[in-house]
Amino acid sequence: MKAVGLYQYLSISEQESLIDLEVEKPTATGSDVLVKVQAISVNPVDTKVRKPKDKIEETAKILGWDVAGVVEEVGPDCTLFQKGDEVYYAGTITRPGGNSEYHLVDERIVGHKPKSINFAEAAAMPLTALTAYEGLFVRLGVSKEDNSGKSILLIGAAGGVGSIAIQLAKWAGLTVIGTASRPESSKLVQDRGADAVINHHQPFLPQLKEAGFEEVDYIFCLNHTDQHWDHMAEAIKPQGKICSIFETNKPLNLYPLFQKSATFVWEFMFTRSRFETPDMIEQHHILNEMANLIDSKTIETTVNQVMSPINAENIRKAHAELEAGTAIGKIVLEHFC
């Protein structure tokens, strides 16, 4: 089967950074399903894994952690899917990614594709939807029912996760303040439903007060935790909660949270699949719930650009755009030739 992968970890400007491959088509065993890939999308995790390092792979490393496709084959232990089902999922960092014609994935982290959107639109959703949902409702513990009078600050709200988090937070009844730094990203944050927009290159609290907020109940950081830490600690309410999806380059000073009895927690979407936690199947349920929200028009897909076909040249272009920091919404690729 066709695939796109790498043997060397190089700058995206190098032709060998991502190459077209022919690899063996896998077979479904156990609780795996084999999916015929229709569309994929790219995420910052792809560029982080691919970034230059002194390492050579003996067998090709295949990236890609957003897939929409059709079940081709099911393993003998599968109970959730059957051949012909349309699915979408993010996969796991511990196995080959989905930048291939066929892809093996554990059915417990796969959801039924939303019926109202096409494969390209569906491929834009899984990783960001899972991250946003887990961050809000699992890590921060936001209620889905009554959040009247409560507010959330979303840092880096114009990105893929932010675009979903805004919509989910509004669905849950929160007042949403998003951060952005460019006119086009500020507009996207407003269009997604944010009640206010502030600039994350400036101190948060003065801007929040100017917008009518003394502090916020929740903060969801989707951009450079250590860069924004002091401003987050200042802006969070007593007994408030902060969640981040970005690792840090230096230790965080947790002391400012002490007297506030504030909570800090990480969200890493691959935790459940990486460690095969007992609740791993929750990602199947989350993706199905997200599909229902999309089909009911509560949540909109975040695809912004669709490229075709799926090949090394186009995936290199997508990686370059992500690394330049100019992408708004999700970049999707569809169709192997």
Side-chain angles (χ1 to χ4, degrees):
M1 66 176 181
K2 294 179 180 178
V4 176
L6 60 85
Y7 290 98
Q8 304 175 72
Y9 294 86
L10 303 169
S11 167
I12 199 59
S13 60
E14 300 284 342
Q15 287 289 107
E16 296 294 308
S17 61
L18 291 167
I19 58 176
D20 293 306
L21 303 164
E22 286 283 340
V23 299
E24 185 176 351
K25 178 182 173 182
T27 301
T29 60
S31 61
D32 282 347
V33 293
L34 180 68
V35 176
K36 182 173 177 58
V37 176
Q38 302 294 323
I40 62 170
S41 75
V42 293
N43 291 284
V45 64
D46 299 62
T47 64
K48 288 179 182 178
V49 172
R50 197 221 73 248
K51 68 182 180 181
K53 60 177 79 65
D54 292 328
K55 183 179 180 181
I56 304 292
E57 298 287 351
E58 292 185 8
T59 57
K61 176 82 170 179
I62 298 174
L63 311 180
W65 293 282
D66 261 334
V67 173
V70 180
V71 174
E72 177 83 3
E73 181 184 319
V74 298
D77 299 332
C78 289
T79 60
L80 303 175
F81 298 97
Q82 58 187 5
K83 183 176 180 178
D85 285 347
E86 296 183 349
V87 297
Y88 76 141
Y89 58 91
T92 174
I93 199 77
T94 60
R95 299 177 68 176
N99 293 351
S100 55
E101 283 189 280
Y102 295 89
H103 186 233
L104 274 182
V105 61
D106 190 305
E107 69 168 357
R108 290 173 293 174
I109 56 174
V110 177
H112 290 280
K113 171 188 158 294
K115 296 181 176 64
S116 60
I117 59 177
N118 61 33
F119 286 106
E121 292 168 326
M125 298 295 292
L127 187 148
T128 53
L130 286 165
T131 302
Y133 189 105
E134 289 184 350
L136 288 169
F137 303 120
V138 181
R139 313 303 177 204
L140 288 172
V142 173
S143 168
K144 296 180 189 177
E145 297 176 357
D146 183 17
N147 288 294
S148 56
K150 293 186 176 180
S151 57
I152 187 168
L153 175 64
L154 300 175
I155 302 169
V161 177
S163 296
I164 300 296
I166 292 170
Q167 297 179 74
L168 285 174
K170 291 297 296 181
W171 171 63
L174 289 168
T175 298
V176 178
I177 306 103
T179 80
S181 60
R182 294 176 290 154
E184 58 269 33
S185 56
S186 295
K187 182 179 185 305
L188 183 138
V189 170
Q190 290 173 319
D191 290 346
R192 291 294 182 196
D195 298 285
V197 182
I198 66 174
N199 190 321
H200 48 241
H201 293 313
Q202 299 173 13
F204 297 161
L205 196 56
Q207 296 181 82
L208 288 170
K209 288 184 175 181
E210 187 175 345
F213 305 94
E214 289 299 314
E215 294 163 308
V216 289
D217 297 274
Y218 304 101
I219 297 176
F220 196 6
C221 183
L222 315 172
N223 182 9
H224 302 300
T225 306
D226 42 9
Q227 177 181 326
H228 302 299
W229 180 251
D230 291 342
H231 298 313
M232 289 193 286
E234 185 180 41
I236 194 68
K237 278 185 179 180
Q239 303 184 87
K241 296 181 179 181
I242 301 171
C243 176
S244 179
I245 67 170
F246 260 77
E247 67 272 32
T248 63
N249 296 316
K250 59 184 180 181
L252 296 176
N253 176 19
L254 295 177
Y255 183 73
L257 303 187
F258 171 66
Q259 291 189 344
K260 290 186 175 182
S261 296
T263 297
F264 175 68
V265 63
W266 297 108
E267 159 58 17
F268 183 55
M269 191 280 300
F270 293 117
T271 295
R272 282 171 160 145
S273 59
R274 181 175 191 138
F275 297 101
E276 295 193 8
T277 59
D279 66 348
M280 184 170 160
I281 198 171
E282 282 303 309
Q283 293 199 335
H284 166 73
H285 299 315
I286 292 169
L287 287 170
N288 285 344
E289 184 175 357
M290 290 298 302
N292 291 334
L293 289 171
I294 292 167
D295 287 338
S296 67
K297 310 300 181 186
T298 304
I299 300 293
E300 295 180 353
T301 182
T302 56
V303 62
N304 185 54
Q305 181 181 353
V306 180
M307 304 169 71
S308 183
I310 302 172
N311 60 22
E313 180 183 0
N314 281 334
I315 297 179
R316 284 196 301 270
K317 289 178 182 176
H319 277 227
E321 191 165 338
L322 278 186
E323 290 184 346
T326 58
I328 294 178
K330 293 297 291 292
I331 304 172
V332 172
L333 297 93
E334 60 180 357
H335 308 314
F336 281 91
C337 290

